[in-house]
Amino acid sequence: MSRHDAADGPGPVLAVVHEAGRAASGSALVLGLRGLRHDADAELFAARIAERHRRFQVTLDCHGPGRHTLRLLPDAAAPGPATLDAELLADLLGPYPGAGEPLALAGYRRELLVEAVTRPDGPDPHLEQIHWNWSGPLDRARFRAAWQSVCARESILRAAFDWTAVPRLLLHPCAEVEIVHRTRAGTTWQELLDEDRRHGFALNRPPLLRLTLLEGEPGAPTRVLLTCHRALLDERGVHLLLREFYRAYLAGGALPGGERRPDLRDHARWLGRQSAEGARDLWTRTAPPRRAATAPGRPGGDTRQRGDGHLRRRLGEPYGSRLRSWAAARGVGESSALHAVWALLLYRAAATEGPLPVSFGVRLSGGDIVLPGAAGIPGLLGSPLPMTVRVDPAAPFSGLLRQVRDARLDMAAYPWVCGDHIREWTGRPPGERLTDTVVVFDGPAGPGTGVRRELEAQGIEVDEPRTVGAGTGLPVTLVARHASGGALVLDAVYDRARLADADAAAALGQCVGLLRALTELRDPDPTVAQVLDLLADVDTPSMAPRPPAPRRTAVRTLRRGSPSADVFCLLTVPGVVDGCYELFTRDHQGPETIVALELDGPPGAAVPAALSALPLSGGRLVLCGCGPGAVAAYDLARALAHGKGSAVSVVMTGLGGPRSSADALARGLAGVPVRRA
């Protein structure tokens, strides 16, 4: 399962039953709780709500195992009737008490989580797979103990997500890194990669990292595969964890000292203190204009291909060293040379004449923020941000180099900014794509010279970790990194539905060809047009249009019941646990009709027209939702109650696996007071 796991977490998935209606000002919110196994659990739950929401006086009534009533009486000074806001719903329906310390989720990490839980069915495109060879003795027990030691030290490995009402990060008190041993006799390397990607992660359970060891014949190297989720860890963070692991392995399996600080908690507090004024001013001026060239290919037809592609090209010696020297002589780094060349390819694909703004993403690591010790925090601290430059064929190419250098320096002050911020500041619709490509320039990988020597002293040799190309949701992601011997390696990961293999190969080949050609130009300061002329004899790659979003029916009947019976309406919104509604429907034995209602927008804004098609003929309507569907059910119930003038029953559950969520839904519906029309 890719986003959820069928097994329960530290406690059961809770169901909350509520009659949403026109409550008088100052009246209590009455909530039926179904699923807290013991009165002591319920008292702990009520105490947590009282501590985190001090505007309410909280009382608890116990009615037997698994059945409790929570009353939330608002402060007398609070205006208007009490309602369940997003933060309160998150705590009511979130993980079991003691499951984790909540942290606000913001920036790029929030974007990736939302993408991960709202994506269509299929492998999660945000899985990162990194592998390397381990030659020499490998002590399984010490290997496992070393990773557990790192897990105890690094809070990032005890973190998972909750998106029930408010997307947030939860730091759990403990977690265990999964380590699987496989043999080459039972599977091929590609089969292992594909199986691992299909397996995915349960995003609400830590750790979001696992290891698979593919072992061969005695004496043969062991191939180690590390899989993590990009919403929590980037490649930089993985390398920091690997260095900690090697230290622990060399020390017999245990790292000295306690938890690393600063960590995610310190970064979250630092982030909360940042002013957006400077960042808003920067991107208000420099955000990609709508006419900017962003596509890596000219408009073309259907590629007739699907899935992600991966290509690798090398700028070998002596060209790698020459490029660094050539760039340094012009006051820039080799990353600026790569950015300028990529800007030229996007400009050329636009097939225009004269000056034109060009935009592409540049990923910032965030490790150089001013928080002391940030460089040692393994985690996703930065994000890909849009870089926009003006490409003018008549201007000197050195001017374009300075443009990308200065733009990168300006962006570096705000690595915590994300696309959602920029869309908000510039009035763009939520989810609108700002760029079609992103360029990443990674630092050196590997455990470091000192650690490598200590490993070699124990007869162990490890090579540099390599990343398996995985999709990013963009047509092209270009990753550059240094290899041994001074070569510059370029990896392109691309969407084969947008760029055919031949077109992606052409784009990457032209990029490498221009980088090589720059070091051979006789003119020390050519114009942009002169550099573009180097590609005069090769075709521009083509690119297919973005496929339209699939249409989905608003109301679906999952089970037809008796004509006069109640209707259970299950709210389907992005992020609801896959399969839980189907399991509930299959197991339900009552006379009720069960329908699923899919919402396209905020349910509280208006009662969806699709509700008029619901099969109501004497029974009442009970709105139900799991996870984020619970929030939609509550908002819709309030909107309906306001229009009808009478209360509407709503059943809300937290997040779990398909089975545990379906069971929670059944418990909640069993607690709805019986009332016939």
Side-chain angles (χ1 to χ4, degrees), residues 286-331:
T286 64
R290 296 192 181 278
R291 66 187 185 92
T294 63
R298 56 180 171 77
D302 190 348
T303 66
R304 303 185 183 277
Q305 297 179 338
R306 295 296 180 267
D308 297 323
H310 180 205
L311 292 169
R312 170 170 289 188
R313 299 289 185 270
R314 295 171 63 90
L315 184 67
E317 288 298 280
Y319 295 104
S321 299
R322 287 180 182 175
L323 180 64
R324 286 186 283 277
S325 300
W326 181 91
R330 287 152 182 81

Side-chain angles (χ1 to χ4, degrees), residues 168-246:
R168 58 186 183 175
L169 196 65
L170 292 176
L171 300 187
H172 292 245
C174 59
E176 183 174 351
V177 177
E178 179 186 4
I179 301 175
V180 178
H181 296 268
R182 302 286 293 273
T183 63
R184 286 188 172 89
T187 184
T188 67
W189 176 242
Q190 189 58 51
E191 288 171 344
L192 177 63
L193 291 176
D194 294 342
E195 178 186 335
D196 176 74
R197 182 162 294 280
R198 287 192 299 270
H199 182 53
F201 282 106
L203 297 180
N204 55 342
R205 296 181 63 189
L208 300 184
L209 177 146
R210 64 171 172 265
L211 292 114
T212 305
L213 276 62
L214 186 63
E215 300 167 336
E217 298 295 328
T222 296
R223 183 169 281 186
V224 184
L225 173 64
L226 184 150
T227 308
C228 61
H229 202 279
R230 289 185 186 141
L232 203 57
L233 275 169
D234 57 9
E235 194 169 349
R236 166 190 161 273
V238 170
H239 292 317
L240 290 174
L241 291 177
L242 277 177
R243 290 170 189 172
E244 292 294 282
F245 159 75
Y246 286 130

Side-chain angles (χ1 to χ4, degrees), residues 280 283-285 287-290 418-434:
R280 183 186 294 110
W283 267 282
T284 300
R285 292 184 289 104
R290 296 192 181 278
C418 69
D420 282 345
H421 292 132
I422 297 172
R423 282 183 281 269
E424 177 186 348
W425 297 333
T426 57
R428 303 288 184 91
E432 180 182 289
R433 182 173 286 172
L434 298 173

Side-chain angles (χ1 to χ4, degrees), residues 91 94 138 163 168 215 230 233 257 285 305 402 422 438 535 564 568 577 608 632 634 649:
D91 287 333
L138 194 157
W163 59 94
R168 58 186 183 175
E215 300 167 336
R230 289 185 186 141
L233 275 169
R285 292 184 289 104
Q305 297 179 338
R402 289 191 291 271
I422 297 172
V438 63
L535 299 175
S564 60
F568 295 160
V577 180
Y634 174 72
S649 297

Side-chain angles (χ1 to χ4, degrees), residues 326-394:
W326 181 91
R330 287 152 182 81
V332 300
E334 60 186 319
S335 62
S336 293
L338 175 61
H339 292 151
V341 163
W342 195 249
L344 291 187
L345 295 178
L346 299 183
Y347 175 87
R348 185 169 182 258
T352 189
E353 295 182 0
L356 183 71
V358 169
S359 299
F360 55 94
V362 174
R363 193 173 76 190
L364 307 182
S365 72
D368 55 354
I369 60 177
V370 295
L371 170 67
I377 300 177
L380 189 68
L381 308 186
S383 63
L385 294 171
M387 173 186 287
T388 301
V389 294
R390 184 174 181 268
V391 177
D392 183 356

Side-chain angles (χ1 to χ4, degrees), residues 610-636:
L611 279 177
S612 61
L614 290 177
L616 292 172
S617 57
R620 62 183 169 150
L621 176 68
V622 182
L623 295 171
C624 315
C626 293
V631 183
Y634 174 72
D635 288 345
L636 186 54

Side-chain angles (χ1 to χ4, degrees), residues 430-492:
E432 180 182 289
R433 182 173 286 172
L434 298 173
T435 62
D436 283 310
T437 63
V438 63
V439 179
V440 181
F441 208 107
D442 276 342
T449 304
V451 171
R452 192 181 297 278
R453 287 174 179 168
E454 291 187 56
L455 289 169
E456 290 173 352
Q458 296 190 17
I460 301 168
E461 183 178 346
V462 293
D463 58 10
E464 293 182 357
R466 288 160 285 177
T467 301
V468 179
T472 62
L474 293 174
V476 178
T477 297
L478 182 65
V479 181
R481 56 174 61 85
H482 293 117
S484 57
L488 184 66
V489 176
L490 299 180
D491 287 288

